[in-house]
Amino acid sequence: MRRGWAGLSVVSILVMVFLYGPILVLVLYSFNAAHLSMAWRGTTLKWYAALLHDDALLAATANSLLIALVSTFGAMCLGGLLALGMEQMPHRRQRMIEGGLVLPLVIPEVMMGVALMLFFVMLKLPLGILTVMLGHIVFNVPLVTIMIRTRLRKLDPALREAAADLGADSWQVFRYVTLPLLRPAIWGAVLVAFTVSLDDFLVTFFTAGPGATTLPLKVYSMIKSGVTPEINALSALLLLISMACVALSLHVQRREV
Amino acid sequence: MPDHDRASSQAPGRSSCRSCWLAAPGLLWMGLFFLAPLGLVFAISFASRGTYGGIVWEFTAANYLDLLHPLYGKILGQSLWYASLTTAICFVLGFPLAYVIARSPARWQPVLLLLVMLPFWTNFLVRTYAWMILLRQDGLANRFLMGLGVVDAPLELLYTPTAVVIGLVYSYLPFMVLPLYVAVERLDPLLVEAAWDLYASRWSVFTRVVVPLTMPGIVGGCVLVFIPSIGAFITPDLLGGARSMMIGNLIQHEYLVVRDWPLGSAVSFVLMAIVMAAVVLYYRHADRTAEALEGR
Amino acid sequence: MATSSTPPFLASDQSLSPTPSTIDVRGIVRRHGAVLAVDQVSFQVRRGEFFSLLGPSGAGKTSVLRMLAGFEDPDEGDLLIDGRSMLGVPPNRRPVNLVFQSYALFPHLTVFDNVAFGLKMRRVASTLIEAQVRQALTMVKLFGKEARRPAQLSGGEQQRVALARALVNKPAVVLLDEPLAALDQQLRQAMQVELKSIQQQAGLTCVCVTHHQEEAMMMSDRIAVMHQGRMWQVGSPREVYERPCNLFVSRFLGVSNELPGRIGAPIGEDRLFQPIDADQPPLTVRTLTSEQAGRPATLSLRPEQLRMARERPATSGPVLSGRIEKVLFAGSDTKYLVRVGPERVWETRMTSDASLPSFAAGDPVFLHWSLPDGRLFFE
C-alpha cells in the first residue's frame, strides 16, 4: 500500500489540523486586543487580567475545585474498594458488575442529569453543591473502578503469593505489595476523576440548582449571553488546566514502577 | 496416623469471600444514586402531568403515544440523521488517520495517539465554543472563504445543522480513531501485500481484506461515536438553531422549560433504548468475532 | 505427635533411612473440578535432601508443590512438615519458601528489600536483617547489587535473588518451581551446578518441580516421576533411569529402544523371548519373576547399553540384526538410527573417536547387549 501512503498521510495531517486548529485559534484570540471584531488589533493580556477581577468567576472556580476534590475523594474510596472487593468474586458476578459499571458511562449524560435531578427533588434534597458532589461521584466511581481493576488484572498473581509465602498476612500483602504496585493506577485515577469532575457540565447543570455555580456553568452562561474576549481567555486557561492534568496523569501511569 | 480435624481444614476461604464486602459501599452507592434515579425516570414516564407541572401517579402510556406526534418525530429523525452522518464522516476521516498511526514507527505511535486523544480530554464547552468563533458571521471561516473569493457575502454557518454535525465530528472523532488503530495495528501488513500480489486493486484490497479484518474496530468505533452523538446536548444547544434540535435538547426543554416531566422521562427512555440497541449491537458483534476466532 | 514413617507404596524406593523426614506426604488427593490433578500421592523427603518431582506438564507436580506451599489444600490425605500437619495452615505460617517459576520478584523493591521481605514480615530486628541479607546475597554471589531494582538485573541474577529471598528465611524446605526454565541453555547448565552447590553448602532441603529429566537427574538425590496425577516411581536418578518401573518412566527419562514380543520357553535360569516382528529370531531375556510362557511383554534398552558390530558377535547373549538408516554426528557423540524391523528403529550412540570403526548409512550391523541390561515390561 506504499503508493497510497502519501494520500493517507495528507488526509491524516488535515485531520490533525482540524483537531487542533480551532483550539489554537481560540488561544490566539485570547491575546487579541480587539474587543468584538475578529480583526487583529495587537497583543494584550488584559482579558486575562479582567478574569482575575471577576468575583463571580472566582467563586465559581472555588466551587468547582471543592466539588472536584470531594467527588474525587469519594469516588476513590468507593471505586477503589469496589475494584478490590470484586477480585475474589465468582467470574460471572464480576462480569455482571462490570457490565453495570459501563452503563453510567454509555447512557447520555442528559439522562443521568435529569434522573439525578428528579431523584433529589423527590427526596426533597435542596439542589446545591452537595447534590452536585453526589452526582459527580456517580460518574467517577465507574471510571476509578475500571482503571484500578485494569491494573489489578495486570498484576502477576505470583507476586501476592510470593508475599504470602514469605510470611505476609493478608493485610501485609495488601500494604507492602498490592498497594505499592497499584500506586500509578491510583494517581492516574485521581487525576482523571478530578479532570472529569472539573470539566463536567451536564450533570452539574441539572443538579446544581440556582445557588451553586461552577466554572463550566459560568462559561456556559457567558457563552449564551454573547461571545466576549474574556471567554476566550477563560477557555484558554481551562484548556491549559485540562491538558496539564492529562499530561500529569499519563506521566504517573507510565511509571510502571 | 494422627487424627486431624477435617472439617476445619477443608478449603479455607474458598467458599466464603472475606474481601467481597469491600465492594458493598460502591455497589450500594451506584444502586442508590444511579439505578434508583433511572428507575424513577422510568416510573415517571408512565405517570401523568399535573395541571401546574409536577406529577400525578396515574398509569398511562400516553407519554409514549405523544411522541408519535410529527413534531417529536421530526426531532427524533433529525437526531438519528445527525448522529449517523457524524459516524460516517468520523469513519471517513478517522480511518486514514488510524491507518497512518498504526503503520508509523513504533516509538511514534503512542505520541500520535496521545495527540489524537488530547483534545478529547479538554473541556467540552470550550471545544464547542471554539467552533462558535470560527463559524460566526465575521468568523475566520467566512473571512477565509471571502478572501479566496469563493463567496461574496458571509455565509450563514453558525446555528445550522452543518454546524451541529461539524461540532459532533470534532468532539467524537478520537473515539473512532482509537479502536480503528487497535484493529489496524493487529492486521498483519503481509496480508495486504499478499492481496496486492494476487492482483487486487487498491480498492479491493481495502474492501476485501482490510475492512473484513478490521471489522471489530470499525463496529467499535462507530458505536462509540454514535452513542454520544445521539445523546448530544451541548453541541446542538450552542451550534444549532431552533430548527436543528436533537433529543437531548428536547429532554432538557421538556424538563426545565415546559416542565412536563412525564413526557421528558418518556423521551429519555426512547433515547436510552436507542443507545442500548447500539450497545447490544456492539457486544453481539464482539461475541461473534470472539466465537469466530475461537472456532478456528 | 507421632512421626511414624509409613512405608512408601512403591517398592523401588529402597533407600529409606530411619532419620525423621522433613516432609511426609500421605496419600494426598487433589481434584480440579472432575479432574483428579493429584491421585493418592505419598512420599517423604529427608533433611538436606534434593528431591525432584519430575513429569510432563499436567502431571500434577505443580499441584503437589502448591499444596506444600499452602496455596492449595489437599481434598484428602495429610501433609506433614517437621512432623506437624500443615492442613489448614496458611502459606504465611508454613516453614517453607517457594522460588517461583517467574521468580515473582517485587518490581517496586530493591534487591535488598526483596531479600529482606520475609524477615521484615516476621519483624526480625533491622540489624539482624542487614547481616542476614548480606550473607544470603554473598551466598548467591550478588553482593554489591543490593540497591538495584529487579528490572535492572539479568535473568540469571533475578533467579539468584529469588533463591536468596527464599533461603534467607532459613526455611525447613525450599520449594523450587521449574527454577531454571526461564534461563537460556548455557546459563541453565551453569546454574544447575551452582544451585546444587548452594544447596549442599547450606544444607538445604529442596523439593524441585521440573519437566526436564536431565536437570532432575543432575541435581537430585532422589527423583519422583509423576504422570497423570500419580507418582509412578521414586528413587535415585540412577535407579529410575536404569530400572524404570514401567514403559512410561522408561520413555520419559531417556531414549527407550523397544521390542514387543512374547515370553517363550525357559533356558536354564533365563527365558526365550519371541519378538512379534517375524523376521527376528528369538532372544534370551532375564526375568526376576517366573512368567507364564506366551505372556506379552516389551523389551527395552537404553542406547548406551547397546554395542554395534559388523560381524555377528561370538556371544551367547542376545543379538539383533539391523541396517543403519541414519548417522547423526552430534559433536562428541555420533547417533546411529538402526532399523531392526519393518516399523522399528533403534537408536544407539558411539563416541566420535576416529580410532573406532566407523559405520555408514546402509551398512548391515548387529546390535548386542549384556543379558541383565535388557528390561522387560509387562502390560
Side-chain angles (χ1 to χ4, degrees):
Chain A
M1 282 284 262
R2 279 286 140 181
R3 267 210 293 154
W5 188 254
L8 289 173
S9 304
V10 169
V11 176
S12 301
I13 291 167
L14 288 178
V15 172
M16 282 300 203
V17 169
F18 170 69
L19 281 177
Y20 281 90
I23 296 178
L24 291 178
V25 168
L26 183 62
V27 174
L28 202 64
Y29 272 87
S30 71
F31 297 108
N32 188 2
H35 185 61
L36 279 173
S37 121
M38 288 301 281
W40 192 262
R41 297 259 187 281
T43 331
T44 179
L45 284 173
K46 66 180 173 187
W47 312 121
Y48 287 91
L51 294 179
L52 287 176
H53 297 109
D54 188 336
D55 290 337
L57 188 66
L58 293 178
T61 310
N63 279 346
S64 274
L65 288 175
L66 181 67
I67 291 165
L69 275 176
V70 172
S71 72
T72 301
F73 180 76
M76 284 312 294
C77 295
L78 294 168
L81 291 179
L82 180 51
L84 291 172
M86 279 170 75
E87 271 220 296
Q88 301 284 318
M89 291 182 181
H91 278 271
R92 194 181 300 171
R93 200 177 308 164
Q94 286 191 23
R95 285 195 61 172
M96 225 177 74
I97 296 178
E98 258 171 5
L101 285 176
V102 174
L103 207 56
L105 302 179
V106 297
I107 72 158
E109 250 201 297
V110 188
M111 191 166 174
M112 191 136 111
V114 298
L116 279 166
M117 179 189 77
L118 273 183
F119 186 67
F120 292 140
V121 168
M122 292 281 167
L123 286 181
K124 305 245 182 322
L125 260 178
L127 297 181
I129 286 199
L130 180 72
T131 49
V132 174
M133 286 171 181
L134 296 180
H136 281 206
I137 293 176
V138 173
F139 60 68
N140 270 340
V141 165
L143 285 178
V144 170
T145 309
I146 289 169
M147 285 183 74
I148 293 184
R149 256 181 82 73
T150 309
R151 176 76 189 175
L152 266 177
R153 261 189 291 183
K154 275 193 208 152
L155 291 186
D156 182 0
L159 288 176
R160 278 176 277 178
E161 286 185 350
D165 180 69
L166 291 165
D169 58 37
S170 47
W171 165 250
Q172 286 171 319
V173 172
F174 177 74
R175 169 71 187 77
Y176 295 108
V177 177
T178 314
L179 189 62
L181 292 173
L182 283 182
R183 201 159 285 155
I186 290 173
W187 285 114
V190 163
L191 285 162
V192 166
F194 191 82
T195 316
V196 170
S197 170
L198 207 59
D199 282 345
D200 177 75
F201 169 71
L202 270 174
V203 169
T204 319
F205 181 63
F206 284 101
T207 54
T213 297
T214 67
L215 213 44
L217 290 188
K218 180 76 181 154
V219 173
Y220 180 74
S221 69
M222 282 166 83
I223 294 173
K224 275 290 184 180
S225 59
V227 172
T228 65
E230 281 100 340
I231 311 177
N232 294 356
L234 182 55
S235 301
L237 281 180
L238 286 177
L239 284 178
L240 193 73
I241 294 170
S242 315
M243 292 210 183
C245 279
V246 174
L248 200 60
S249 151
L250 288 173
H251 176 72
V252 179
Q253 286 184 84
R254 176 132 1 130
R255 238 184 18 202
E256 294 269 298
V257 255
Chain B
M1 209 187 251
D3 206 39
H4 290 287
D5 185 1
R6 284 239 157 261
S8 71
S9 69
Q10 233 155 31
R14 215 180 300 162
S15 49
S16 69
C17 173
R18 266 176 291 142
S19 61
C20 286
W21 61 268
L22 293 174
L27 291 178
L28 222 61
W29 187 278
M30 295 310 284
L32 182 62
F33 291 110
F34 180 71
L35 291 182
L38 276 192
L40 183 66
V41 173
F42 189 64
I44 290 177
S45 73
F46 290 102
S48 322
R49 184 190 176 206
T51 330
Y52 308 102
I55 300 155
V56 178
W57 291 105
E58 267 168 32
F59 176 82
T60 172
N63 300 306
Y64 288 95
L65 293 174
D66 280 354
L67 292 181
L68 297 173
H69 190 279
L71 181 69
Y72 300 124
K74 181 176 166 272
I75 294 176
L76 203 69
Q78 207 158 270
S79 302
L80 284 170
W81 166 237
Y82 294 165
S84 310
L85 195 60
T86 301
T87 309
I89 296 174
C90 279
F91 177 70
V92 171
L93 295 180
F95 202 95
L97 184 57
Y99 201 94
V100 167
I101 294 178
R103 293 285 178 260
S104 302
R107 65 200 172 89
W108 281 104
Q109 292 184 16
V111 180
L112 291 171
L113 279 179
L114 177 63
L115 278 179
V116 173
M117 284 310 289
L118 201 55
F120 167 73
W121 283 106
T122 61
N123 192 296
F124 195 96
L125 278 173
V126 169
R127 270 184 291 155
T128 311
Y129 170 68
W131 279 99
M132 290 178 76
I133 297 188
L134 288 174
L135 297 178
R136 276 163 64 182
Q137 197 121 47
D138 65 338
L140 278 191
N142 268 322
R143 284 161 168 267
F144 182 69
L145 291 176
M146 280 159 65
L148 283 180
V150 180
V151 292
D152 302 326
L155 290 176
E156 194 70 47
L157 291 173
L158 195 56
Y159 310 127
T160 61
T162 315
V164 174
V165 173
I166 290 177
L168 290 176
V169 169
Y170 182 68
S171 304
Y172 302 123
L173 183 59
F175 287 165
M176 180 65 85
V177 178
L178 216 56
L180 282 182
Y181 159 80
V182 173
V184 175
E185 213 261 326
R186 279 186 199 155
L187 170 72
D188 186 349
L190 291 179
L191 292 175
V192 172
E193 278 169 19
W196 195 253
D197 178 61
L198 294 166
Y199 320 113
S201 69
R202 213 180 306 168
W203 178 248
S204 15
V205 169
F206 180 72
T207 55
R208 301 198 177 201
V209 178
V210 178
V211 167
L213 288 174
T214 53
M215 210 43 164
I218 294 174
V219 174
C222 288
V223 169
L224 285 182
V225 170
F226 183 83
I227 287 177
S229 300
I230 190 78
F233 168 78
I234 297 175
T235 316
D237 187 58
L238 294 181
L239 300 178
R243 278 173 296 115
S244 40
M245 217 179 181
M246 290 179 70
I247 308 178
N249 309 86
L250 179 62
I251 294 173
Q252 183 254 353
H253 186 77
E254 291 300 329
Y255 269 98
L256 298 185
V257 182
V258 185
R259 297 207 144 254
D260 189 343
W261 290 0
L263 187 64
S265 302
V267 180
S268 299
F269 262 90
V270 171
L271 176 56
M272 176 135 161
I274 297 173
V275 168
M276 282 298 140
V279 172
V280 167
L281 180 85
Y282 172 69
Y283 277 111
R284 281 182 69 178
H285 189 272
D287 282 351
R288 230 178 308 143
T289 315
E291 267 168 36
L293 288 175
E294 273 162 25
R296 233 165 266 166
Chain C
M1 198 177 287
T3 53
S4 63
S5 49
T6 45
F9 76 108
L10 283 162
S12 65
D13 187 8
Q14 298 146 342
S15 44
L16 264 180
S17 71
T19 55
S21 304
T22 299
I23 292 181
D24 189 353
V25 172
R26 298 173 179 176
I28 52 170
V29 173
R30 173 86 177 122
R31 296 184 190 88
H32 292 307
V35 184
L36 258 180
V38 176
D39 184 7
Q40 285 291 335
V41 163
S42 302
F43 62 92
Q44 292 172 315
V45 181
R46 273 168 255 127
R47 182 153 297 125
E49 189 177 32
F50 198 116
F51 187 86
S52 285
L53 295 166
L54 175 66
S57 61
K61 52 199 195 307
T62 300
S63 273
V64 172
L65 199 74
R66 290 176 63 81
M67 284 190 273
L68 287 172
F71 298 127
E72 291 176 22
D73 264 347
D75 294 312
E76 285 170 34
D78 198 356
L79 196 148
L80 287 81
I81 297 175
D82 279 341
R84 240 179 77 216
S85 169
M86 286 292 128
L87 293 184
V89 178
N92 53 327
R93 305 239 181 83
R94 292 195 184 197
V96 299
N97 285 120
L98 176 55
V99 175
F100 286 77
Q101 180 171 6
S102 61
Y103 312 143
L105 299 179
F106 305 121
H108 59 297
L109 299 180
T110 59
V111 168
F112 183 94
D113 287 331
N114 261 287
V115 177
F117 193 92
L119 299 174
K120 281 183 181 163
M121 291 304 113
R122 286 188 290 148
R123 306 190 196 289
V124 174
S126 58
T127 45
L128 283 176
I129 291 183
E130 182 96 20
Q132 290 179 16
V133 170
R134 271 166 207 286
Q135 195 191 346
L137 284 175
T138 311
M139 185 168 268
V140 299
K141 298 187 184 141
L142 273 180
F143 193 75
K145 299 204 170 164
E146 296 91 336
R148 304 265 182 103
R149 292 286 173 100
Q152 296 168 304
L153 299 177
S154 70
E157 288 172 327
Q158 291 183 9
Q159 153 83 72
R160 288 155 198 263
V161 177
L163 191 61
R165 187 174 72 173
L167 55 85
V168 75
N169 304 297
K170 304 200 167 55
V173 185
V174 175
L175 306 172
L176 302 154
D177 186 5
E178 302 273 3
L180 307 175
L183 303 178
D184 61 49
Q185 184 62 25
Q186 280 197 330
L187 197 54
R188 190 181 178 122
Q189 285 170 346
M191 278 305 289
Q192 281 170 3
V193 177
E194 200 171 319
L195 187 57
K196 181 70 189 167
S197 75
I198 291 173
Q199 181 254 336
Q200 284 172 332
Q201 192 189 329
L204 299 177
T205 310
C206 291
V207 175
C208 175
V209 156
T210 179
H211 65 274
H212 201 288
Q213 73 279 6
E214 244 177 73
E215 187 174 294
M217 287 195 273
M218 280 170 64
M219 295 198 297
S220 315
D221 297 311
R222 281 190 306 148
I223 292 175
V225 183
M226 286 191 72
H227 181 48
Q228 292 175 338
R230 299 188 56 191
M231 197 166 271
W232 292 98
Q233 190 169 9
V234 184
S236 72
R238 186 167 281 275
E239 272 169 1
V240 290
Y241 181 75
E242 290 182 349
R243 294 200 295 280
C245 69
N246 62 21
L247 272 177
F248 169 78
V249 175
S250 176
R251 288 172 190 160
F252 192 71
L253 283 164
V255 176
S256 170
N257 291 312
E258 288 164 16
L259 190 66
R262 281 174 197 284
I263 300 287
I267 320 175
E269 289 191 355
D270 300 321
R271 301 289 290 264
L272 269 182
F273 178 77
Q274 178 58 56
I276 51 165
D277 299 335
D279 52 339
Q280 288 288 1
L283 305 163
T284 3
V285 292
R286 179 162 291 174
T287 61
L288 294 169
T289 49
S290 51
E291 295 295 336
Q292 228 178 345
R295 183 166 179 196
T298 301
L299 178 69
S300 164
L301 284 143
R302 297 286 186 208
E304 63 276 8
Q305 292 170 330
L306 296 173
R307 280 180 292 277
M308 192 159 64
R310 266 183 219 288
E311 311 296 327
R312 177 173 283 276
T315 162
S316 61
V319 178
L320 204 58
S321 64
R323 186 180 290 274
I324 294 185
E325 188 148 294
K326 267 204 179 79
V327 180
L328 302 162
F329 178 72
S332 59
D333 276 354
T334 304
K335 252 189 223 181
Y336 297 89
L337 300 183
V338 181
R339 180 164 291 281
V340 296
E343 281 167 35
R344 206 160 309 285
V345 175
W346 279 20
E347 180 186 323
T348 181
R349 272 177 226 154
M350 283 169 77
T351 316
S352 308
D353 184 343
S355 65
L356 292 175
S358 69
F359 296 88
D363 290 357
V365 288
F366 294 94
L367 296 172
H368 57 107
W369 59 91
S370 80
L371 186 58
D373 282 347
R375 303 236 349 127
L376 273 182
F377 296 105
F378 300 97
E379 251 92 298

